[in-house]
Amino acid sequence: MQAFRWGSFGARWRRLVLGALFMAGVGSAAAKVTALVGGQLIDGWGGAPVPHSVILIEGERISAVGTVDSLVVPAGAEIIDTRGMSLLPGLWDCHVHTALLGHADYAHWHGTYQPRFASEIMPAAARQLLQAGVTSAMDLGAPLADSIAVRDNIAAGKIPGPTLYVSGPFIQHAAPKGREHYRWGVSGAADARAKVGQLADAGVNVIKLIDQDQMTAAEVEAVIDEAHRRGLPVIAHAHRPEEIRRGLKYGVDRFEHTGLSTAPGYPEDVLTALKERTADMSRGLLFWCPTVEGFLNYEDNITNQLHIEDPAWEVEIPADIAADIRASLARPGWLPYYQITPVRSKTSATKIAQLMEAGVMPLIGTDSGIPMKFHNQSTWRELDAWVNRLGIDPMTAIRAATYWPAVSMKVDADYGTVSPGKYADIIAVKGDVMRYIDLLQRVDIVVKHGRRVK
């Protein structure tokens, strides 16, 4: 064993570091031990960042965490020099759509590209997310067989991507015509239970409800009860007050979006019900994924179109599909999808403040894949909007993208923090992300399950 000391950077050490940095490909996985040495660690637990950190990785998992003054680096370890970098747990994006790539016209997209979802489109989205530092993601709304196949191919190492948690199709009362492949209607409580059972038997990780205010009360209750009986959390849209009321009444585990159109805030009875729910410790935390960046930045996005012009979002996407997406966004200010957004954006900060005051636990999610939202940039832009537009402190935002998502999915024994025994999902970024959160737009190192993939 050899002890690494912060002040001992001699010529021999520098040669070792250079050798590690210039290793070809992703050789980290072949090394018995990998050591990330010297960076500032934000471990996900919420404490002060740890300078001069050392993280030891053996196989897929973290074996030890310390500092250069307290932790011995084993002889023969592959050493990755992270001085001058911020190290974090791999990010989670709690609301993505890998079957979408930012195209403006849903009808055209689904009518044209559905046969290419599993083979080309969803794998491209998964690769982009991983390269952006997203090592875990929740894919909420796609054809069932495609969702399961892509998730399982990632887990088997056949394609690169984040660890995926999938819902398959939405559950609602009546699916819109032409969208039945990713939206399932139910007719009565028995059918609701049967549809949830079909999803559970296929192996989904969560059940997603949408437009539950248009369902019968018996259907909503049946969906949630059957999902919980099968050990699956239920995630529900919160676009309208009655969606929230019904979700709370029957036990939804998490809500999505801020919703409520142009209303200035949530009705008092909804806020009261939220506070009563969050005060009930026996039921655990109530999670909420607001997906708010698109509202806060809408006017900037249509006047300053650099994020659309940037060719980085085309990486991994077949050329014909990329060209179609780009053509659909030629006039971003004309998209019907967003015409009400300038008014809604003025209420977003108030609604977020109301939710946090009511005691919900916010999670970072983006709706990535919807028009103008690209998988290579959605997650960092959401984090940046939380910190620099809403004034949320960086540690709260980071934990909403690391620790709390793992807790919400009951996988915090394996994910969410940089801790011994957990999977080595770690990212590193040059600079201080606690001061400049937007540095996350250029993640320098991505380690997933102990394997360096960037």
Side-chain angles (χ1 to χ4, degrees):
M1 305 284 282
Q2 64 182 21
F4 176 85
R5 292 291 181 264
W6 182 252
S8 62
F9 280 83
R12 179 180 177 187
W13 162 248
R14 293 183 184 281
R15 286 196 298 270
L16 178 60
V17 170
L18 288 172
L21 292 177
F22 282 97
M23 288 183 65
V26 290
S28 306
K32 182 177 181 181
V33 177
T34 300
L36 305 177
V37 179
Q40 176 173 272
L41 174 61
I42 303 160
D43 61 16
W45 289 110
V50 178
H52 309 161
S53 67
V54 175
I55 305 167
L56 300 183
I57 301 170
E58 295 188 40
E60 293 186 326
R61 295 186 181 262
I62 299 165
S63 59
V65 179
T67 69
V68 293
D69 292 322
S70 66
L71 184 59
V72 173
V73 176
E78 179 197 356
I79 298 175
I80 300 176
D81 184 1
T82 58
R83 289 173 296 167
M85 292 183 170
S86 297
L87 285 87
L88 301 82
L91 301 176
W92 286 62
D93 193 318
C94 294
H95 193 130
V96 305
H97 295 285
T98 62
L100 305 175
L101 297 176
H103 197 286
D105 185 339
Y106 280 170
H108 169 76
W109 182 262
H110 287 282
T112 305
Y113 296 115
Q114 183 191 343
R116 300 171 69 177
F117 280 1
S119 59
E120 297 174 273
I121 288 168
M122 296 169 77
R127 292 185 187 99
Q128 287 194 2
L129 287 164
L130 185 61
Q131 289 295 301
V134 176
T135 56
S136 298
M138 301 188 68
D139 197 358
L140 301 179
L144 178 57
D146 294 350
S147 294
I148 298 296
V150 171
R151 181 198 65 187
D152 291 353
N153 283 337
I154 291 172
K158 296 178 181 179
I159 58 175
T163 299
L164 282 185
Y165 301 85
V166 303
S167 70
F170 305 172
I171 296 286
Q172 60 187 119
H173 181 68
K177 186 176 180 179
R179 300 191 184 185
E180 296 88 350
H181 56 293
Y182 72 101
R183 291 174 176 252
W184 284 4
V186 299
S187 179
D191 188 43
R193 288 186 182 276
K195 293 285 174 52
V196 171
Q198 186 176 347
L199 292 170
D201 290 343
V204 301
N205 306 101
V206 302
I207 299 296
K208 183 178 178 184
L209 269 174
I210 185 172
D211 297 340
Q212 61 269 19
D213 57 341
Q214 298 172 19
M215 302 170 73
T216 68
E219 288 169 346
V220 176
E221 183 177 22
V223 167
I224 296 172
D225 181 69
E226 185 65 21
H228 287 168
R229 193 179 72 81
R230 297 288 197 122
L232 297 174
V234 179
I235 293 171
H237 273 207
H239 285 312
R240 295 176 294 276
E242 189 60 24
E243 284 187 298
I244 303 171
R245 295 185 186 108
R246 289 195 177 190
L248 290 172
K249 180 177 181 179
Y250 295 111
V252 158
D253 301 284
R254 192 180 106 194
F255 287 102
E256 306 299 291
H257 316 303
T258 52
L260 276 70
S261 188
T262 60
Y266 295 97
E268 284 301 319
D269 74 295
V270 169
L271 292 174
T272 298
L274 285 172
K275 291 173 184 178
E276 290 175 354
R277 166 62 182 85
T278 59
D280 187 351
M281 294 180 64
S282 68
R283 298 175 66 185
L285 294 167
L286 177 63
F287 294 96
W288 202 297
C289 188
T291 66
V292 75
E293 179 272 331
F295 295 112
L296 297 174
N297 288 331
Y298 173 72
E299 293 185 5
D300 290 339
N301 287 340
I302 61 172
T303 57
N304 179 356
Q305 299 171 26
L306 289 180
H307 78 295
I308 297 174
E309 296 168 2
D310 185 356
W313 65 257
E314 298 181 3
V315 173
E316 304 287 352
I317 298 176
D320 64 317
I321 297 178
D324 192 3
I325 296 168
R326 190 172 288 282
S328 79
L329 302 175
R331 295 183 177 89
W334 291 17
L335 303 185
Y337 190 93
Y338 288 111
Q339 291 309 299
I340 200 172
T341 296
V343 183
R344 293 184 68 183
S345 66
K346 293 177 173 59
T347 71
S348 296
T350 297
K351 290 170 183 171
I352 294 289
Q354 287 180 318
L355 291 173
M356 296 184 74
E357 183 181 356
V360 306
M361 183 57 68
L363 301 176
I364 289 288
T366 62
D367 228 359
S368 191
I370 68 171
M372 290 199 294
K373 270 189 173 286
F374 307 115
H375 297 293
N376 72 311
Q377 55 184 247
S378 293
T379 312
W380 80 261
R381 288 168 67 91
E382 184 79 16
L383 281 156
D384 179 71
W386 280 34
V387 173
N388 292 318
R389 299 296 298 270
L390 296 174
I392 296 172
D393 71 272
M395 187 63 77
T396 296
I398 288 169
R399 278 165 56 81
T402 54
Y403 175 72
W404 289 117
V407 171
S408 77
M409 288 304 296
K410 296 182 172 57
V411 294
D412 48 306
D414 288 318
Y415 297 96
T417 62
V418 178
S419 307
K422 295 191 178 185
Y423 282 113
D425 283 9
I426 302 166
I427 64 173
V429 182
K430 293 176 183 176
D432 183 1
V433 299
M434 291 295 291
R435 185 173 181 185
Y436 304 109
I437 195 77
D438 60 347
L439 290 173
L440 287 168
Q441 68 185 285
R442 293 184 179 88
V443 176
D444 295 284
I445 293 172
V446 179
V447 175
K448 184 195 171 195
H449 283 203
R451 180 172 177 261
R452 185 173 177 180
V453 295
K454 183 178 183 180

